[in-house]
Amino acid sequence: MSVFNASFFRQQCYINGHWVDASDQQVADVVDPASAEIIAQVPMLPAKDLEGCIVSAEQAGQQWKQQSATQRSQLLKKWHQLILENQAGLAELMTREQGKPLSEAIGEIAYAASYIEWFAEEAVRMHGDTLTGPGQHKRGLVIRQPVGLCAAITPWNFPAAMLTRKIAPALAAGCSIIVKPALETPLSALALAALADEAGIPAGVLNVVTGDGPALGKVLTQNERVRKLSFTGSTQTGSLLMAASARHVQKISLELGGNAPFIVFADADLERAVQGAIDSKFRNAGQTCVCANRIYVHESLYDAFLQRFQQATQQLIVGNGLLPESQIGPLINQQAVHKVNQQIEDALAKGARLVCGGPASASDGLWFTPTILADATSAMRCAHEETFGPMAPVFKFTDEHEVISQANATPFGLAAYFYTQNIDRMWRVAEQLEVGMVGVNTGIISSASAPFGGIKSSGTGREGSRFGLDEYTELKYICLELEA
Ligand SMILES: NC(=O)c1ccc[n+]([C@@H]2O[C@H](COP(=O)([O-])OP(=O)(O)OC[C@H]3O[C@@H](n4cnc5c(N)ncnc54)[C@H](O)[C@@H]3O)[C@@H](O)[C@H]2O)c1
Ligand SMILES: O=C[C@H](O)CS(=O)(=O)O
């Protein structure tokens, strides 16, 4: 059966438990990046339609927070079960709209579902505190309450996981939420909503709206009923939203851009470092916020690393994500291809050496051959800009202090990776890297059990882990005076 006949395939917004078109009937095409085929159309919701959604979502939240934590937990578990039962179809739909290889899409569905499972369990552990009396006859309590109506704006590179990473803690905490996915990849979001509806999550608790980011973002940040904004996307957009959210002092979480250093020290296990670089650099065709963006190799290992890294990179198969052998899918659009080309051409003009791959030609369309540049330097754009594509610049370094200084010389601070077998160096370097997340002897770090997030221009707040509910709850202090 075609995935476009699946019950979860939807081409309308999900508002207050209803599937609706834009009131002005405007739509946007959803294009398969591998084939350039228009595979669906979704509403371009006008601002006034979203204002109505905010009213109904806030009302639904008032009822939702009255449900017991156990009731909310059970509904999340049902949603989790339905997602896994439909994993193959959801993965195919994701590959069609985003392009990633089916194997990665299947992995993302499991990853997305794991956030729902995690917060279904956290829902019944939303604890507060009791205080040592602030006075002889006084006693103190701290309770944790839902923040209120939430809004989430999400990117195209992880069309399911970036949503459940926000929806799950919001619902677990007792909040209702309005989600605005990227227009490039709305189908996974709408499919998740269809399964949430089937799971019995009440109307208005989860809402998915499609449309113009700036226009709908303005509504969500300027309406005082919205008490929380969680955004995942570029630093440029995140900064704009942070400023806009100030008007009504919305609680805000930002998961933004990255520029991850990947450091191979002289005592690294070379084979593990090469595999880690492949895993981190080329996942989702290099279109992840935590991809290795700069690879630093100690001078003693430089030539050996380059040789092994080139061998492994040239074995990667570029192709349509629906083909089982494909490991590198297409980039999301022509702008993405142009950005990677510009970084390669800039680096070559400044002395980099092309090891394999190279700039994409006009005839390549959105296909990009995995590329390695040697002799990279800090004068090149690829040292300072997020690449968001399958291009790896490899830098040479001499000593630990120098490479840590280079690794930290960026406004970003999301993830970093390094390979060493020295326990003293592990602690020393991990503590000095200015990031939110560090991978030691691994290129893959993400998990629902881990606090995902960054510092500096990579954002604020953490998603997942036992800290994840903090973003969707407020603490209330209650002071009791007893009769003397
Ligand atoms: N830190 C993380 O967890 C994480 C995860 C994925 C992607 N990202 C970052 O996202 C970027 C790529 O994703 P992208 O191209 O979709 O980012 P983007 O910022 O262009 O778009 C992200 C979302 O914001 C919306 N949007 C765009 N402009 C807006 C505006 N002015 N007001 C309100 N909403 C607006 C878009 O429609 C989309 O839904 C990269 O920089 C990547 O590093 C970060
Ligand atoms: O692109 C950003 C995602 O958060 C990457 S991950 O799948 O969470 O590692």
Side-chain angles (χ1 to χ4, degrees):
M1 177 183 77
S2 163
V3 72
F4 301 113
N5 294 324
S7 63
F8 54 70
F9 174 64
R10 301 300 171 97
Q11 300 183 83
Q12 293 174 297
C13 292
Y14 181 62
I15 296 176
N16 202 26
H18 303 290
W19 296 96
V20 299
D21 296 320
S23 57
D24 60 6
Q25 301 304 308
Q26 293 301 303
V27 295
D29 293 339
V30 183
V31 177
D32 178 336
S35 64
E37 177 194 357
I38 295 173
I39 57 175
Q41 290 186 322
V42 295
M44 283 294 281
L45 205 71
K48 67 182 174 66
D49 293 13
L50 182 52
E51 297 287 3
C53 173
I54 289 172
V55 172
S56 58
E58 186 189 45
Q59 289 167 351
Q62 294 302 324
Q63 304 306 315
W64 179 242
K65 73 180 182 183
Q66 300 302 329
Q67 296 225 19
S68 71
T70 302
Q71 288 167 320
R72 294 199 293 268
S73 175
Q74 286 169 343
L75 285 167
L76 285 171
K77 286 177 180 173
K78 178 63 177 170
W79 188 27
H80 170 258
Q81 175 196 339
L82 288 172
I83 289 170
L84 292 184
E85 286 175 1
N86 290 277
Q87 185 176 12
L90 291 169
E92 182 183 346
L93 189 61
M94 181 184 295
T95 295
R96 291 302 305 268
E97 66 173 349
Q98 198 270 344
K100 67 179 64 176
L102 210 46
S103 57
E104 288 194 29
I106 288 169
E108 184 185 338
I109 296 300
Y111 177 48
S114 72
Y115 279 101
I116 298 171
E117 182 182 42
W118 178 268
F119 285 106
E121 293 161 356
E122 286 294 288
V124 295
R125 294 177 182 81
M126 208 161 91
H127 300 319
D129 204 356
T130 56
L131 307 178
T132 303
Q136 185 182 4
H137 303 295
K138 284 194 164 62
R139 300 292 183 269
L141 288 173
V142 178
I143 61 173
R144 192 179 282 275
Q145 294 184 305
V147 66
L149 173 58
C150 303
I153 301 175
T154 55
W156 49 261
N157 63 337
F158 287 83
M162 296 306 98
L163 283 85
T164 59
R165 200 153 87 175
K166 302 172 190 306
I167 298 168
L171 269 53
C175 302
S176 50
I177 189 167
I178 299 170
V179 182
K180 204 296 295 177
L183 264 181
E184 295 89 341
T185 56
L187 304 179
S188 298
L190 295 170
L192 290 172
L195 294 174
D197 185 68
E198 185 180 342
I201 291 174
V205 170
L206 169 62
N207 305 273
V208 178
V209 297
T210 56
D212 176 67
L216 298 187
K218 182 176 180 182
V219 175
L220 293 170
T221 55
Q222 300 309 296
N223 189 311
E224 69 275 11
R225 294 172 190 264
V226 178
R227 296 311 315 139
K228 161 78 182 182
L229 174 66
S230 182
F231 171 75
T232 295
S234 65
T235 293
Q236 179 184 1
T237 304
S239 179
L240 290 172
L241 289 171
M242 187 174 198
S245 71
R247 180 178 179 194
H248 296 295
V249 193
Q250 292 171 327
K251 193 179 181 87
I252 192 162
S253 306
L254 299 171
E255 302 287 349
L256 306 178
N259 181 2
F262 184 104
I263 306 169
V264 183
F265 286 103
D267 66 325
D269 177 319
L270 182 64
E271 288 309 315
R272 288 180 66 183
V274 169
Q275 188 56 54
I278 292 286
D279 293 343
S280 176
K281 177 67 255 184
F282 297 116
R283 182 161 71 104
N284 200 15
Q287 299 172 119
T288 94
C289 57
V290 291
C291 280
N293 206 66
R294 300 167 283 157
I295 300 178
Y296 296 93
V297 182
H298 189 268
E299 58 187 356
S300 63
L301 286 182
Y302 194 77
D303 294 340
F305 177 89
L306 268 180
Q307 182 192 15
R308 285 292 299 112
F309 188 40
Q310 177 186 357
Q311 284 172 343
T313 298
Q314 288 182 310
Q315 288 171 0
L316 294 172
I317 298 170
V318 178
N320 188 312
L322 293 175
L323 299 174
E325 66 271 16
S326 296
Q327 295 168 290
I328 304 287
L331 300 198
I332 192 68
N333 55 37
Q334 207 56 52
Q335 296 92 315
V337 172
H338 180 62
K339 178 180 180 182
V340 182
N341 272 351
Q342 281 190 315
Q343 289 189 6
I344 294 173
E345 287 152 8
D346 170 77
L348 294 175
K350 293 173 181 173
R353 172 168 58 89
L354 183 62
V355 173
C356 63
S361 66
S363 61
D364 290 333
L366 301 183
W367 306 105
F368 211 108
T369 303
T371 295
I372 300 173
L373 298 177
D375 306 332
T377 70
S378 59
M380 299 168 186
R381 285 178 57 176
C382 56
H384 305 285
E385 297 175 7
E386 181 175 49
T387 301
F388 233 60
M391 186 278 281
V394 185
F395 303 72
K396 186 184 295 184
F397 76 92
T398 305
D399 71 53
E400 183 181 296
H401 177 72
E402 167 210 342
V403 74
I404 290 173
S405 176
Q406 286 188 37
N408 289 335
T410 169
F412 294 101
L414 190 59
Y417 310 87
F418 64 93
Y419 281 71
T420 178
Q421 299 180 83
N422 180 307
I423 189 71
D424 295 319
R425 192 200 309 272
M426 277 187 196
W427 275 109
R428 222 174 31 239
V429 176
E431 288 176 344
Q432 292 179 74
L433 289 169
E434 297 171 357
V435 292
M437 302 176 285
V438 180
V440 182
N441 295 334
T442 180
I444 301 293
I445 55 178
S446 305
S447 160
S449 62
F452 191 103
I455 61 175
K456 304 195 307 187
S457 290
S458 288
T460 181
R462 293 295 183 269
E463 297 189 305
S465 82
R466 68 183 183 85
F467 304 103
L469 277 185
D470 296 353
E471 307 292 340
Y472 296 90
T473 56
E474 296 290 3
L475 295 178
K476 180 179 283 176
Y477 162 47
I478 301 170
C479 181
L480 301 85
E481 174 128 13
L482 310 178
E483 267 191 74

PDB file of all heavy atoms in Angstrom, residues 362-391:
ATOM      1  N   ALA A 362      25.909  22.075 -11.548  1.00  0.00           N
ATOM      2  CA  ALA A 362      24.488  22.391 -11.772  1.00  0.00           C
ATOM      3  C   ALA A 362      23.711  21.115 -12.111  1.00  0.00           C
ATOM      4  O   ALA A 362      22.560  20.935 -11.700  1.00  0.00           O
ATOM      5  CB  ALA A 362      24.374  23.408 -12.894  1.00  0.00           C
ATOM      6  N   SER A 363      24.378  20.188 -12.817  1.00  0.00           N
ATOM      7  CA  SER A 363      23.668  18.958 -13.230  1.00  0.00           C
ATOM      8  C   SER A 363      23.450  17.993 -12.062  1.00  0.00           C
ATOM      9  O   SER A 363      22.672  17.050 -12.151  1.00  0.00           O
ATOM     10  CB  SER A 363      24.469  18.245 -14.334  1.00  0.00           C
ATOM     11  OG  SER A 363      25.751  17.887 -13.824  1.00  0.00           O
ATOM     12  N   ASP A 364      24.137  18.237 -10.931  1.00  0.00           N
ATOM     13  CA  ASP A 364      23.997  17.338  -9.775  1.00  0.00           C
ATOM     14  C   ASP A 364      22.678  17.533  -9.035  1.00  0.00           C
ATOM     15  O   ASP A 364      22.286  16.716  -8.194  1.00  0.00           O
ATOM     16  CB  ASP A 364      25.165  17.550  -8.792  1.00  0.00           C
ATOM     17  CG  ASP A 364      26.487  17.034  -9.347  1.00  0.00           C
ATOM     18  OD1 ASP A 364      26.439  16.114 -10.179  1.00  0.00           O
ATOM     19  OD2 ASP A 364      27.538  17.563  -8.960  1.00  0.00           O
ATOM     20  N   GLY A 365      22.029  18.691  -9.288  1.00  0.00           N
ATOM     21  CA  GLY A 365      20.776  18.941  -8.559  1.00  0.00           C
ATOM     22  C   GLY A 365      21.044  19.016  -7.070  1.00  0.00           C
ATOM     23  O   GLY A 365      21.920  19.740  -6.632  1.00  0.00           O
ATOM     24  N   LEU A 366      20.312  18.211  -6.272  1.00  0.00           N
ATOM     25  CA  LEU A 366      20.480  18.247  -4.808  1.00  0.00           C
ATOM     26  C   LEU A 366      21.419  17.144  -4.305  1.00  0.00           C
ATOM     27  O   LEU A 366      21.593  16.978  -3.096  1.00  0.00           O
ATOM     28  CB  LEU A 366      19.112  18.130  -4.133  1.00  0.00           C
ATOM     29  CG  LEU A 366      18.089  19.217  -4.490  1.00  0.00           C
ATOM     30  CD1 LEU A 366      16.797  19.019  -3.701  1.00  0.00           C
ATOM     31  CD2 LEU A 366      18.651  20.611  -4.260  1.00  0.00           C
ATOM     32  N   TRP A 367      22.006  16.391  -5.229  1.00  0.00           N
ATOM     33  CA  TRP A 367      22.940  15.328  -4.840  1.00  0.00           C
ATOM     34  C   TRP A 367      24.312  15.922  -4.598  1.00  0.00           C
ATOM     35  O   TRP A 367      24.785  16.728  -5.404  1.00  0.00           O
ATOM     36  CB  TRP A 367      23.000  14.251  -5.924  1.00  0.00           C
ATOM     37  CG  TRP A 367      21.647  13.714  -6.266  1.00  0.00           C
ATOM     38  CD1 TRP A 367      20.907  13.986  -7.388  1.00  0.00           C
ATOM     39  CD2 TRP A 367      20.845  12.863  -5.447  1.00  0.00           C
ATOM     40  NE1 TRP A 367      19.700  13.348  -7.317  1.00  0.00           N
ATOM     41  CE2 TRP A 367      19.621  12.648  -6.141  1.00  0.00           C
ATOM     42  CE3 TRP A 367      21.024  12.243  -4.203  1.00  0.00           C
ATOM     43  CZ2 TRP A 367      18.600  11.841  -5.636  1.00  0.00           C
ATOM     44  CZ3 TRP A 367      20.003  11.451  -3.702  1.00  0.00           C
ATOM     45  CH2 TRP A 367      18.810  11.249  -4.418  1.00  0.00           C
ATOM     46  N   PHE A 368      24.935  15.513  -3.458  1.00  0.00           N
ATOM     47  CA  PHE A 368      26.240  16.080  -3.121  1.00  0.00           C
ATOM     48  C   PHE A 368      27.196  14.964  -2.725  1.00  0.00           C
ATOM     49  O   PHE A 368      26.936  14.244  -1.761  1.00  0.00           O
ATOM     50  CB  PHE A 368      26.117  17.086  -1.978  1.00  0.00           C
ATOM     51  CG  PHE A 368      27.136  18.193  -2.037  1.00  0.00           C
ATOM     52  CD1 PHE A 368      26.763  19.482  -2.378  1.00  0.00           C
ATOM     53  CD2 PHE A 368      28.484  17.953  -1.797  1.00  0.00           C
ATOM     54  CE1 PHE A 368      27.686  20.507  -2.460  1.00  0.00           C
ATOM     55  CE2 PHE A 368      29.421  18.961  -1.891  1.00  0.00           C
ATOM     56  CZ  PHE A 368      29.023  20.256  -2.210  1.00  0.00           C
ATOM     57  N   THR A 369      28.304  14.824  -3.455  1.00  0.00           N
ATOM     58  CA  THR A 369      29.266  13.766  -3.141  1.00  0.00           C
ATOM     59  C   THR A 369      30.020  14.111  -1.857  1.00  0.00           C
ATOM     60  O   THR A 369      30.532  15.225  -1.734  1.00  0.00           O
ATOM     61  CB  THR A 369      30.283  13.614  -4.294  1.00  0.00           C
ATOM     62  OG1 THR A 369      29.566  13.340  -5.496  1.00  0.00           O
ATOM     63  CG2 THR A 369      31.279  12.507  -4.006  1.00  0.00           C
ATOM     64  N   PRO A 370      30.067  13.209  -0.890  1.00  0.00           N
ATOM     65  CA  PRO A 370      30.803  13.490   0.357  1.00  0.00           C
ATOM     66  C   PRO A 370      32.221  13.969   0.051  1.00  0.00           C
ATOM     67  O   PRO A 370      32.934  13.364  -0.753  1.00  0.00           O
ATOM     68  CB  PRO A 370      30.806  12.149   1.076  1.00  0.00           C
ATOM     69  CG  PRO A 370      29.570  11.467   0.583  1.00  0.00           C
ATOM     70  CD  PRO A 370      29.430  11.878  -0.847  1.00  0.00           C
ATOM     71  N   THR A 371      32.592  15.076   0.678  1.00  0.00           N
ATOM     72  CA  THR A 371      33.809  15.798   0.309  1.00  0.00           C
ATOM     73  C   THR A 371      34.725  15.980   1.509  1.00  0.00           C
ATOM     74  O   THR A 371      34.250  16.259   2.617  1.00  0.00           O
ATOM     75  CB  THR A 371      33.423  17.181  -0.266  1.00  0.00           C
ATOM     76  OG1 THR A 371      32.702  16.975  -1.497  1.00  0.00           O
ATOM     77  CG2 THR A 371      34.628  18.049  -0.533  1.00  0.00           C
ATOM     78  N   ILE A 372      36.010  15.793   1.284  1.00  0.00           N
ATOM     79  CA  ILE A 372      37.016  16.034   2.327  1.00  0.00           C
ATOM     80  C   ILE A 372      38.008  17.076   1.823  1.00  0.00           C
ATOM     81  O   ILE A 372      38.490  16.979   0.684  1.00  0.00           O
ATOM     82  CB  ILE A 372      37.794  14.758   2.694  1.00  0.00           C
ATOM     83  CG1 ILE A 372      36.859  13.668   3.227  1.00  0.00           C
ATOM     84  CG2 ILE A 372      38.885  15.064   3.740  1.00  0.00           C
ATOM     85  CD1 ILE A 372      37.559  12.326   3.432  1.00  0.00           C
ATOM     86  N   LEU A 373      38.274  18.073   2.669  1.00  0.00           N
ATOM     87  CA  LEU A 373      39.301  19.074   2.363  1.00  0.00           C
ATOM     88  C   LEU A 373      40.422  18.919   3.376  1.00  0.00           C
ATOM     89  O   LEU A 373      40.176  18.874   4.585  1.00  0.00           O
ATOM     90  CB  LEU A 373      38.726  20.487   2.458  1.00  0.00           C
ATOM     91  CG  LEU A 373      37.588  20.846   1.498  1.00  0.00           C
ATOM     92  CD1 LEU A 373      37.092  22.261   1.790  1.00  0.00           C
ATOM     93  CD2 LEU A 373      38.026  20.720   0.050  1.00  0.00           C
ATOM     94  N   ALA A 374      41.679  18.844   2.911  1.00  0.00           N
ATOM     95  CA  ALA A 374      42.828  18.786   3.821  1.00  0.00           C
ATOM     96  C   ALA A 374      43.460  20.172   3.920  1.00  0.00           C
ATOM     97  O   ALA A 374      43.141  21.080   3.143  1.00  0.00           O
ATOM     98  CB  ALA A 374      43.853  17.769   3.300  1.00  0.00           C
ATOM     99  N   ASP A 375      44.367  20.312   4.898  1.00  0.00           N
ATOM    100  CA  ASP A 375      45.105  21.574   5.080  1.00  0.00           C
ATOM    101  C   ASP A 375      44.166  22.752   5.314  1.00  0.00           C
ATOM    102  O   ASP A 375      44.429  23.871   4.881  1.00  0.00           O
ATOM    103  CB  ASP A 375      46.020  21.859   3.876  1.00  0.00           C
ATOM    104  CG  ASP A 375      46.945  20.695   3.580  1.00  0.00           C
ATOM    105  OD1 ASP A 375      47.266  19.954   4.536  1.00  0.00           O
ATOM    106  OD2 ASP A 375      47.310  20.494   2.396  1.00  0.00           O
ATOM    107  N   ALA A 376      43.057  22.483   6.017  1.00  0.00           N
ATOM    108  CA  ALA A 376      42.114  23.561   6.340  1.00  0.00           C
ATOM    109  C   ALA A 376      42.743  24.487   7.379  1.00  0.00           C
ATOM    110  O   ALA A 376      43.549  24.050   8.211  1.00  0.00           O
ATOM    111  CB  ALA A 376      40.824  22.973   6.877  1.00  0.00           C
ATOM    112  N   THR A 377      42.356  25.763   7.342  1.00  0.00           N
ATOM    113  CA  THR A 377      42.872  26.728   8.316  1.00  0.00           C
ATOM    114  C   THR A 377      41.747  27.603   8.839  1.00  0.00           C
ATOM    115  O   THR A 377      40.659  27.644   8.259  1.00  0.00           O
ATOM    116  CB  THR A 377      43.924  27.666   7.659  1.00  0.00           C
ATOM    117  OG1 THR A 377      43.219  28.544   6.745  1.00  0.00           O
ATOM    118  CG2 THR A 377      45.001  26.883   6.934  1.00  0.00           C
ATOM    119  N   SER A 378      42.028  28.326   9.910  1.00  0.00           N
ATOM    120  CA  SER A 378      41.007  29.175  10.534  1.00  0.00           C
ATOM    121  C   SER A 378      40.662  30.384   9.676  1.00  0.00           C
ATOM    122  O   SER A 378      39.708  31.100   9.982  1.00  0.00           O
ATOM    123  CB  SER A 378      41.495  29.641  11.904  1.00  0.00           C
ATOM    124  OG  SER A 378      42.706  30.370  11.756  1.00  0.00           O
ATOM    125  N   ALA A 379      41.378  30.608   8.592  1.00  0.00           N
ATOM    126  CA  ALA A 379      41.067  31.732   7.697  1.00  0.00           C
ATOM    127  C   ALA A 379      39.882  31.408   6.795  1.00  0.00           C
ATOM    128  O   ALA A 379      39.331  32.276   6.133  1.00  0.00           O
ATOM    129  CB  ALA A 379      42.285  32.059   6.842  1.00  0.00           C
ATOM    130  N   MET A 380      39.474  30.168   6.766  1.00  0.00           N
ATOM    131  CA  MET A 380      38.438  29.711   5.833  1.00  0.00           C
ATOM    132  C   MET A 380      37.051  29.804   6.456  1.00  0.00           C
ATOM    133  O   MET A 380      36.886  29.624   7.673  1.00  0.00           O
ATOM    134  CB  MET A 380      38.735  28.271   5.407  1.00  0.00           C
ATOM    135  CG  MET A 380      40.078  28.132   4.702  1.00  0.00           C
ATOM    136  SD  MET A 380      40.589  26.393   4.508  1.00  0.00           S
ATOM    137  CE  MET A 380      42.236  26.636   3.843  1.00  0.00           C
ATOM    138  N   ARG A 381      36.031  30.030   5.618  1.00  0.00           N
ATOM    139  CA  ARG A 381      34.644  30.156   6.094  1.00  0.00           C
ATOM    140  C   ARG A 381      34.180  28.890   6.812  1.00  0.00           C
ATOM    141  O   ARG A 381      33.445  28.958   7.805  1.00  0.00           O
ATOM    142  CB  ARG A 381      33.729  30.438   4.910  1.00  0.00           C
ATOM    143  CG  ARG A 381      33.804  31.854   4.356  1.00  0.00           C
ATOM    144  CD  ARG A 381      32.897  32.040   3.162  1.00  0.00           C
ATOM    145  NE  ARG A 381      31.498  31.725   3.466  1.00  0.00           N
ATOM    146  CZ  ARG A 381      30.493  31.878   2.596  1.00  0.00           C
ATOM    147  NH1 ARG A 381      30.750  32.330   1.366  1.00  0.00           N
ATOM    148  NH2 ARG A 381      29.255  31.583   2.924  1.00  0.00           N
ATOM    149  N   CYS A 382      34.662  27.736   6.331  1.00  0.00           N
ATOM    150  CA  CYS A 382      34.202  26.469   6.920  1.00  0.00           C
ATOM    151  C   CYS A 382      34.651  26.308   8.361  1.00  0.00           C
ATOM    152  O   CYS A 382      34.147  25.446   9.085  1.00  0.00           O
ATOM    153  CB  CYS A 382      34.695  25.289   6.091  1.00  0.00           C
ATOM    154  SG  CYS A 382      36.475  25.239   5.864  1.00  0.00           S
ATOM    155  N   ALA A 383      35.610  27.145   8.798  1.00  0.00           N
ATOM    156  CA  ALA A 383      36.045  27.098  10.206  1.00  0.00           C
ATOM    157  C   ALA A 383      35.078  27.864  11.097  1.00  0.00           C
ATOM    158  O   ALA A 383      35.037  27.629  12.312  1.00  0.00           O
ATOM    159  CB  ALA A 383      37.450  27.681  10.343  1.00  0.00           C
ATOM    160  N   HIS A 384      34.289  28.761  10.514  1.00  0.00           N
ATOM    161  CA  HIS A 384      33.461  29.667  11.331  1.00  0.00           C
ATOM    162  C   HIS A 384      31.971  29.527  11.065  1.00  0.00           C
ATOM    163  O   HIS A 384      31.154  29.979  11.863  1.00  0.00           O
ATOM    164  CB  HIS A 384      33.894  31.113  11.067  1.00  0.00           C
ATOM    165  CG  HIS A 384      35.364  31.327  11.294  1.00  0.00           C
ATOM    166  ND1 HIS A 384      35.917  31.406  12.554  1.00  0.00           N
ATOM    167  CD2 HIS A 384      36.407  31.415  10.422  1.00  0.00           C
ATOM    168  CE1 HIS A 384      37.231  31.566  12.442  1.00  0.00           C
ATOM    169  NE2 HIS A 384      37.557  31.567  11.166  1.00  0.00           N
ATOM    170  N   GLU A 385      31.598  28.891   9.953  1.00  0.00           N
ATOM    171  CA  GLU A 385      30.179  28.780   9.593  1.00  0.00           C
ATOM    172  C   GLU A 385      29.730  27.319   9.717  1.00  0.00           C
ATOM    173  O   GLU A 385      30.497  26.404   9.413  1.00  0.00           O
ATOM    174  CB  GLU A 385      29.953  29.234   8.145  1.00  0.00           C
ATOM    175  CG  GLU A 385      30.275  30.686   7.878  1.00  0.00           C
ATOM    176  CD  GLU A 385      30.122  31.006   6.379  1.00  0.00           C
ATOM    177  OE1 GLU A 385      29.647  30.115   5.618  1.00  0.00           O
ATOM    178  OE2 GLU A 385      30.478  32.121   5.983  1.00  0.00           O
ATOM    179  N   GLU A 386      28.494  27.141  10.089  1.00  0.00           N
ATOM    180  CA  GLU A 386      27.912  25.799  10.088  1.00  0.00           C
ATOM    181  C   GLU A 386      27.771  25.357   8.623  1.00  0.00           C
ATOM    182  O   GLU A 386      27.255  26.105   7.789  1.00  0.00           O
ATOM    183  CB  GLU A 386      26.542  25.848  10.756  1.00  0.00           C
ATOM    184  CG  GLU A 386      25.834  24.518  10.852  1.00  0.00           C
ATOM    185  CD  GLU A 386      24.544  24.643  11.622  1.00  0.00           C
ATOM    186  OE1 GLU A 386      23.757  25.558  11.328  1.00  0.00           O
ATOM    187  OE2 GLU A 386      24.334  23.838  12.550  1.00  0.00           O
ATOM    188  N   THR A 387      28.262  24.155   8.293  1.00  0.00           N
ATOM    189  CA  THR A 387      28.231  23.697   6.901  1.00  0.00           C
ATOM    190  C   THR A 387      26.862  23.137   6.520  1.00  0.00           C
ATOM    191  O   THR A 387      26.321  23.465   5.476  1.00  0.00           O
ATOM    192  CB  THR A 387      29.315  22.626   6.688  1.00  0.00           C
ATOM    193  OG1 THR A 387      30.589  23.200   6.999  1.00  0.00           O
ATOM    194  CG2 THR A 387      29.315  22.117   5.253  1.00  0.00           C
ATOM    195  N   PHE A 388      26.338  22.280   7.385  1.00  0.00           N
ATOM    196  CA  PHE A 388      25.022  21.664   7.161  1.00  0.00           C
ATOM    197  C   PHE A 388      24.987  20.943   5.811  1.00  0.00           C
ATOM    198  O   PHE A 388      24.052  21.073   5.014  1.00  0.00           O
ATOM    199  CB  PHE A 388      23.884  22.685   7.254  1.00  0.00           C
ATOM    200  CG  PHE A 388      22.817  22.238   8.217  1.00  0.00           C
ATOM    201  CD1 PHE A 388      23.128  22.003   9.548  1.00  0.00           C
ATOM    202  CD2 PHE A 388      21.518  22.005   7.802  1.00  0.00           C
ATOM    203  CE1 PHE A 388      22.169  21.568  10.437  1.00  0.00           C
ATOM    204  CE2 PHE A 388      20.540  21.571   8.688  1.00  0.00           C
ATOM    205  CZ  PHE A 388      20.866  21.350  10.005  1.00  0.00           C
ATOM    206  N   GLY A 389      26.075  20.185   5.555  1.00  0.00           N
ATOM    207  CA  GLY A 389      26.157  19.391   4.334  1.00  0.00           C
ATOM    208  C   GLY A 389      27.335  18.439   4.438  1.00  0.00           C
ATOM    209  O   GLY A 389      28.126  18.523   5.387  1.00  0.00           O
ATOM    210  N   PRO A 390      27.517  17.538   3.456  1.00  0.00           N
ATOM    211  CA  PRO A 390      28.511  16.448   3.564  1.00  0.00           C
ATOM    212  C   PRO A 390      29.919  16.865   3.160  1.00  0.00           C
ATOM    213  O   PRO A 390      30.526  16.293   2.244  1.00  0.00           O
ATOM    214  CB  PRO A 390      27.963  15.388   2.620  1.00  0.00           C
ATOM    215  CG  PRO A 390      27.254  16.173   1.561  1.00  0.00           C
ATOM    216  CD  PRO A 390      26.681  17.383   2.254  1.00  0.00           C
ATOM    217  N   MET A 391      30.435  17.867   3.857  1.00  0.00           N
ATOM    218  CA  MET A 391      31.790  18.367   3.568  1.00  0.00           C
ATOM    219  C   MET A 391      32.580  18.442   4.865  1.00  0.00           C
ATOM    220  O   MET A 391      32.119  19.043   5.833  1.00  0.00           O
ATOM    221  CB  MET A 391      31.712  19.738   2.906  1.00  0.00           C
ATOM    222  CG  MET A 391      33.057  20.281   2.434  1.00  0.00           C
ATOM    223  SD  MET A 391      34.030  21.068   3.737  1.00  0.00           S
ATOM    224  CE  MET A 391      33.196  22.650   3.818  1.00  0.00           C
TER     225      MET A 391
END
